[in-house]
Amino acid sequence: MPHTAASIREKSITFQAQGWWEVMEAEGWTEEIRRETAELNAVLARIEAGEGEPEVWVHCSSDTGTGWTKKAVITAGVRLDDVHYPAHDPVVYESRSRDGRLKAHEWIRRQIWHKDPAKSRLVIDADVTLRWETDPRC
């Protein structure tokens, strides 16, 4: 997983372009694909020019049964116009909570994040935003 602002930007552009080529190969060059390709190229050019904010997004949830199993889907990417453009396939971290009073993001944060990189399971540069989000259904 990329962890610096520059590597997140670079990987995001590459990952988005690669995914789009797979779509085009599968569906062919229709008029809709051409229009969407032009829109994506404009977004990728903006990201390459330095627009948008590199971030690591941690989306947390808990199982709907007992709520003891907590899950985090972690993705580095660039946030532009309130859309997260990922730089890689999501990384999933699951853990069984010992404290039922904690929300999913509170438990996951205790498990993977520490300000001291030597103690943290999730290491990112200081200039990259770390955004925690809990699924409201949990």
Side-chain angles (χ1 to χ4, degrees), residues 19-78:
W20 194 246
W21 278 109
E22 292 171 3
V23 168
M24 288 188 299
E25 286 179 357
E27 296 183 15
W29 278 96
T30 64
E31 228 14 77
E32 182 181 354
I33 294 289
R34 288 174 201 250
R35 183 179 41 78
E36 291 176 2
T37 301
E39 292 171 7
L40 179 67
N41 286 338
V43 167
L44 296 181
R46 289 176 61 197
I47 292 173
E48 190 172 25
E51 289 187 46
E53 181 179 7
E55 70 175 3
V56 173
W57 183 28
V58 184
H59 182 83
C60 304
S61 63
S62 58
D63 65 336
T64 55
T66 61
W68 289 99
T69 303
K70 311 294 186 191
K71 179 169 82 170
V73 179
I74 306 165
T75 311
V78 176

Side-chain angles (χ1 to χ4, degrees), residues 8 13 17 22 24 45 58 69 71-72 79 84 97 99-100 105 109 118 124 126 129 134:
I8 289 173
I13 292 168
E22 292 171 3
M24 288 188 299
V58 184
T69 303
K71 179 169 82 170
R79 179 161 294 281
H84 179 83
S97 174
D99 189 348
H105 74 277
R109 182 178 293 183
I124 60 172
T129 304
T134 296

Side-chain angles (χ1 to χ4, degrees), residues 67-70 93 95-102 107 110-111 121:
W68 289 99
T69 303
K70 311 294 186 191
Y93 175 82
S95 176
R96 185 148 171 89
S97 174
R98 294 187 204 127
D99 189 348
R101 298 170 294 178
L102 295 177
W107 177 256
R110 285 185 178 186
Q111 296 296 305
R121 293 182 184 172

Side-chain angles (χ1 to χ4, degrees), residues 79-124:
R79 179 161 294 281
L80 180 66
D81 298 333
D82 207 32
V83 176
H84 179 83
Y85 294 96
H88 59 90
D89 290 325
V91 176
V92 178
Y93 175 82
E94 287 191 28
S95 176
R96 185 148 171 89
S97 174
R98 294 187 204 127
D99 189 348
R101 298 170 294 178
L102 295 177
K103 294 188 185 285
H105 74 277
E106 294 168 334
W107 177 256
I108 296 293
R109 182 178 293 183
R110 285 185 178 186
Q111 296 296 305
I112 66 174
W113 177 250
H114 197 280
K115 287 185 180 181
D116 179 8
K119 297 178 182 178
S120 184
R121 293 182 184 172
L122 177 63
V123 179
I124 60 172

